[in-house]
Amino acid sequence: MNRHDEFSTNANKGPVQEHDVIMRGRRLLDITGVKQVESFDNEEFLLETVMGFLAIRGQNLQMKNLDVEKGVVSIKGRIFDLVYVDDHQEKAKGFFSKLFK
């Protein structure tokens, strides 16, 4: 077995995708390991990442960049909070609206 095999979940699937969140001054987020964008508007994004669902709440949020193949999303705007949501919790936007009131 070579060293590359240690970092893969299955030899046929390739390496496990990393998940990073990089915030610059509460104005710009770069997120890797994104599987899909569930929903978004100017106050809230819900992303499915390799580490679970991630909710981003803020003001004047805009998607700056989306690269589906690489799993990279960039969001700009004023960031208020980032929350990982457990799989057993409801993913609907209504849930987050109630949670953050």
Side-chain angles (χ1 to χ4, degrees):
M1 176 164 82
N2 66 33
R3 283 186 96 43
H4 176 72
D5 291 336
E6 293 177 26
F7 298 103
S8 54
T9 57
N10 182 332
N12 296 332
K13 290 184 179 180
V16 175
Q17 188 175 12
E18 290 190 23
H19 172 59
D20 294 310
V21 178
I22 301 166
M23 184 184 300
R24 294 180 180 92
R26 285 185 70 180
R27 298 304 247 165
L28 181 61
L29 273 178
D30 291 320
I31 305 164
T32 62
V34 176
K35 293 164 84 175
Q36 115 178 14
V37 177
E38 289 286 323
S39 64
F40 68 95
D41 60 28
N42 64 347
E43 294 182 347
E44 184 175 66
F45 276 67
L46 179 59
L47 310 175
E48 182 181 2
T49 75
V50 296
M51 300 295 282
F53 285 90
L54 174 62
I56 299 139
R57 197 172 75 100
Q59 185 177 44
N60 299 322
L61 299 179
Q62 299 173 0
M63 192 174 312
K64 182 179 173 203
N65 183 35
L66 171 63
D67 188 331
V68 177
E69 288 183 18
K70 292 181 181 176
V72 176
V73 174
S74 295
I75 299 170
K76 68 178 183 177
R78 180 137 194 239
I79 310 299
F80 294 158
D81 55 33
L82 306 168
V83 178
Y84 285 91
V85 182
D86 291 337
D87 289 338
H88 67 275
Q89 290 178 320
E90 187 178 339
K91 295 181 290 195
K93 182 175 175 144
F95 171 79
F96 293 107
S97 298
K98 292 174 190 171
L99 179 67
F100 295 122
K101 281 188 178 184

